[in-house]
């Protein structure tokens, strides 16, 4: 019932010390496809956008890998297993150029190719998970980032035991805390990386990324939490300048590839009917 296919596998590793590796292979029917991968929140074209002399035999990716031939594409989210190879088994080739002959992703799950202080065997259960999403049209970086972030957790992350009971009003069973870029159903190249409490200054910190090569305008709006004031922070979350709040919304401009950190002062709005328990 979804627009993706999720592949998961698990197996037991023993006490074998002979050099070995395990892979999961995903070959795609995309001729002359361009391979991209997510490196620190940026889309990198394999080989073309890499410095001379850096490793091209394998890659450690952040959230996703994408193959696109200009007409069709496939995005593969890598939530648990970040090491990959592209096109073929390439470990130890020391390639100066990478020109994959086929659109194939090798999920490199385990290996013991080292001579360091790590033990040579890896006993126990190993799990791997990949989510594949085919699509039509050209590559869309914002869509790929969003798909990778949505795949990060296989199940909702909850922590109920030991939580203190709230002193104020309870939130309703459903609704939005804030209106964030792209939350209105329209895709946006501005992505929300983090939303977290600002414990020291009693507010909320929102971290945004402009995942495009052009300047973008983003807007943060109120939900159940009403925005009363806003401030732009540095990447180290140090106060920079005040932002204007108009109609309980904050607008800001992000340069190409820019990361913006915004602190919001909020209050509870009309939370409607609430549960009797937190």
């Amino acid at each position: 019932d979804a627009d993706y296919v999720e592949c998961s596998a698990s197996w037991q590793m023993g006490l074998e010390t002979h050099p070995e590796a395990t892979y999961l292979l995903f070959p795609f029917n995309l001729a002359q496809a361009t391979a991209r991968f997510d490196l620190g929140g940026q889309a990198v074209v394999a080989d073309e956008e890499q410095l001379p002399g850096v490793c091209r035999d394998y890659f450690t990716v952040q959230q996703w890998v994408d193959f696109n031939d200009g007409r069709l594409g496939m995005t593969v989210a890598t939530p648990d297993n970040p090491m990959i190879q592209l096109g073929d088994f390439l470990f130890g080739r020391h390639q100066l150029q990478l020109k994959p002959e086929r659109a194939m992703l090798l999920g490199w799950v385990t290996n013991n190719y080292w001579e360091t202080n790590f033990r040579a065997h890896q006993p126990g259960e190993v799990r791997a998970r990949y989510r594949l999403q085919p699509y039509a049209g050209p590559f869309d970086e914002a869509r790929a980032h969003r798909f990778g972030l949505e795949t990060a957790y296989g199940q909702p992350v909850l922590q109920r035991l030991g939580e203190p009971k709230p002193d104020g009003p309870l939130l309703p069973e459903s609704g939005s805390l804030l209106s964030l870029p792209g939350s209105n159903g329209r895709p946006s190249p501005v992505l929300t990386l983090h939303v977290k409490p600002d414990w020291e200054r009693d507010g909320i910190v929102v971290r945004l990324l402009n995942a495009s090569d052009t300047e973008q305008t983003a807007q943060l709006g109120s939900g159940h939490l009403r925005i009363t004031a806003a401030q732009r922070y540095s990447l180290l979350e140090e106060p920079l300048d005040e932002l204007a709040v108009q109609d309980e919304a904050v607008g800001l401009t992000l340069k190409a590839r820019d990361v913006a950190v915004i602190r919001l002062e909020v209050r509870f709005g009309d939370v409607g009917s609430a549960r009797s328990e937190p």
Side-chain angles (χ1 to χ4, degrees):
D1 61 347
D3 60 354
Y4 59 81
V5 175
E6 183 158 305
C7 304
S8 60
S10 63
W11 62 91
Q12 293 288 332
M13 300 290 289
L15 299 176
E16 177 64 54
T17 59
H18 187 78
E20 64 177 6
T22 54
Y23 299 84
L24 292 179
L25 273 59
F26 299 93
F28 303 115
N29 186 18
L30 291 168
Q32 304 299 317
T34 298
R36 296 176 174 86
F37 57 90
D38 173 22
L39 183 63
Q42 304 295 331
V44 177
V45 177
D47 188 68
E48 181 180 322
E49 296 182 344
Q50 294 183 262
L51 293 172
V54 303
C55 181
R56 287 167 165 78
D57 295 350
Y58 58 91
F59 307 94
T60 303
V61 302
Q62 193 80 15
Q63 302 280 3
W64 54 265
V65 184
D66 185 272
F67 299 93
N68 187 282
D69 65 2
R71 186 176 62 91
L72 299 171
M74 175 71 75
T75 304
V76 182
T78 57
D80 302 331
N81 312 96
M83 292 189 67
I84 66 161
Q85 296 177 29
L86 296 174
D88 206 341
F89 297 92
L90 301 176
F91 177 76
R93 297 280 186 90
H94 188 51
Q95 301 180 111
L96 298 181
Q97 285 187 316
L98 174 64
K99 302 296 181 184
E101 297 181 0
R102 51 187 172 177
M104 184 170 71
L105 171 69
L106 288 81
W108 192 4
V109 184
T110 73
N111 79 84
N112 60 350
Y113 300 160
W114 50 66
E115 297 178 0
T116 65
N117 57 338
F118 291 98
R119 60 183 181 179
H121 50 67
Q122 303 171 324
E125 184 180 43
V126 175
R127 292 181 176 271
R129 183 166 69 97
Y130 300 86
R131 184 175 290 183
L132 288 64
Q133 185 180 57
Y135 63 92
F139 171 71
D140 185 333
E141 181 180 347
R143 185 204 56 79
H145 283 307
R146 191 172 295 107
F147 180 62
L149 292 170
E150 291 172 351
T151 311
Y153 299 102
Q155 299 292 333
V157 180
L158 303 173
Q159 180 181 343
R160 296 192 63 184
L161 296 178
E163 294 287 342
K165 290 187 177 182
D167 297 328
L170 302 181
L171 292 172
E173 294 186 3
S174 63
S176 299
L177 290 177
L178 296 167
S179 175
L180 300 170
S183 61
N184 55 7
R186 296 194 300 269
S188 171
V190 179
L191 305 177
T192 303
L193 300 182
H194 296 104
V195 178
K196 66 176 186 177
D198 183 0
W199 299 113
E200 294 183 0
R201 301 177 181 87
D202 191 22
I204 289 180
V205 174
V206 180
R207 188 174 292 250
L208 304 175
L209 166 67
N210 177 9
S212 76
D213 294 320
T214 59
E215 188 175 84
Q216 299 290 334
T217 299
Q219 187 161 347
L220 306 175
S222 292
H224 290 306
L225 297 179
R226 303 296 183 180
I227 300 174
T228 59
Q231 203 173 25
R232 189 151 188 171
Y233 275 14
S234 70
L235 294 180
L236 298 179
E237 299 187 7
E238 299 168 336
L240 293 178
D241 53 326
E242 298 290 332
L243 295 174
V245 177
Q246 186 174 5
D247 296 329
E248 298 183 333
V250 181
L252 68 152
T253 300
L254 290 86
K255 298 178 181 178
R257 301 289 162 188
D258 193 13
V259 174
V261 183
I262 311 299
R263 176 185 173 269
L264 304 175
E265 292 184 15
V266 296
R267 61 175 175 80
F268 278 110
D270 180 12
V271 298
S273 60
R275 294 181 180 181
S276 60
E277 296 181 0

